[in-house]
Amino acid sequence: MNRQQIDVLIKQMNVDTATGEVNPRIQQIIVRLLGDLFQAIEDLDISQTELWKGLEYLTDAGQANELGLLAAGLGLEHYLDLRADEADMKAGIVGGTPRTIEGPLYVAGAPESIGFARMDDGSESTHVDTLIIEGVVKDTAGNLIPNAKVEIWHANSLGNYSFFDKSQSDFNLRRTIITDANGQYIAQTTMPVGYGCPPEGTTQAVLNLLGRHGNRPSHVHYFVSAPNYRKLTTQFNIEGDKYLWDDFAFATRDGLIATAIDVTDPVEMAKYNLDQPFKKITFNFELVKDTNQLPSTEVDRRRAEA
Ligand code: MBD
Ligand code: FE
């Protein structure tokens, strides 16, 4: 069949058959996606077996709750960032910390504090470097923003995230810090290690067929928001990781690379109430003022809540 015949057929089956109320946006999207799928079946001569294997794959990936991971791994989530960047450029937005993907591992409801939070439960402190993360939230004119909400989440030394990894305590390595009067936040935590897809999982299975690995560099996630500013979804990725520019989820971007420096000066240690050398990352944020004309940066997606 050619595309015109395909489109006629799809309309006959899914549009002309409507007897109830139609959601026009959903109809438009389904008709288009079906048309593109039928066309791909034609062009690639996709067999019945291949089609069923594909549907079975989606069933398995959904049952394993890995569709969010798959979206990251196939670059769909990064592609949406690139589109959002394009829209921002067209809207004339200049400045602001670059966005990058949320990923599938955020959990709402983390403990909230002002200015400072200790994020780790101490269970790894005997064998993992302490990491101090500090920074300020500013607007694009350089004004500090007090009371900004800085939501932070990251992996432990095995690359695992609490909640999804039930061996960790509740909200381990997840905190919400409200910036202090100077627009500053400070987190005491442990050095994260890059995530790797579950080796026997559905996402890694498709990556294997593409000859790809499923690893991310060491990174820390953020949502940064404040009234009248656009919500920022971003991460920093840590310099020195072998996957820094080989991230299976394509989240590493210029402007989002952080360097962890070794701090051994006892005076600096005392400043953070630490009695051991530690690592320190300074990461500042720049938020863009919101106006009604700008595309929204709020993404409505199903998120875990604890
Ligand atoms: C992660 O930690 C992550 O950030 C993404 C994008 C995908 C899988 C695991
Ligand atoms: Fe992550």
Side-chain angles (χ1 to χ4, degrees), residues 161 216 219 221:
Y161 287 76
R216 298 215 54 214
H219 63 278
H221 295 265

Short mmCIF file of all heavy atoms in Angstrom, two decimals, residues 161 216 219 221, ligand 2:
data_model
loop_
_atom_site.label_atom_id
_atom_site.label_comp_id
_atom_site.label_asym_id
_atom_site.label_seq_id
_atom_site.Cartn_x
_atom_site.Cartn_y
_atom_site.Cartn_z
N TYR A 161 19.35 4.19 43.34
CA TYR A 161 18.53 5.27 43.91
C TYR A 161 17.57 4.71 44.95
O TYR A 161 16.90 3.69 44.69
CB TYR A 161 17.70 5.95 42.81
CG TYR A 161 18.49 6.83 41.89
CD1 TYR A 161 19.31 6.29 40.90
CD2 TYR A 161 18.43 8.22 41.99
CE1 TYR A 161 20.04 7.10 40.05
CE2 TYR A 161 19.15 9.04 41.14
CZ TYR A 161 19.95 8.48 40.18
OH TYR A 161 20.66 9.30 39.34
N ARG A 216 25.46 5.54 32.77
CA ARG A 216 25.50 6.99 32.90
C ARG A 216 26.73 7.38 33.70
O ARG A 216 27.18 6.62 34.55
CB ARG A 216 24.25 7.49 33.64
CG ARG A 216 22.93 7.19 32.92
CD ARG A 216 21.94 8.31 33.13
NE ARG A 216 22.57 9.55 32.73
CZ ARG A 216 22.36 10.73 33.29
NH1 ARG A 216 21.51 10.85 34.29
NH2 ARG A 216 23.00 11.80 32.87
N HIS A 219 26.36 11.60 38.47
CA HIS A 219 25.59 12.83 38.26
C HIS A 219 24.67 13.11 39.43
O HIS A 219 24.38 12.21 40.22
CB HIS A 219 24.77 12.74 36.97
CG HIS A 219 23.75 11.64 37.01
ND1 HIS A 219 24.06 10.32 36.75
CD2 HIS A 219 22.44 11.65 37.32
CE1 HIS A 219 22.98 9.58 36.90
NE2 HIS A 219 21.97 10.36 37.25
N HIS A 221 20.86 15.11 40.17
CA HIS A 221 19.66 15.70 39.55
C HIS A 221 19.13 16.87 40.36
O HIS A 221 19.18 16.85 41.59
CB HIS A 221 18.52 14.67 39.53
CG HIS A 221 18.76 13.49 38.66
ND1 HIS A 221 18.30 13.42 37.37
CD2 HIS A 221 19.38 12.31 38.90
CE1 HIS A 221 18.63 12.25 36.86
NE2 HIS A 221 19.28 11.56 37.77
FE FE B 2 20.06 9.74 37.54
#
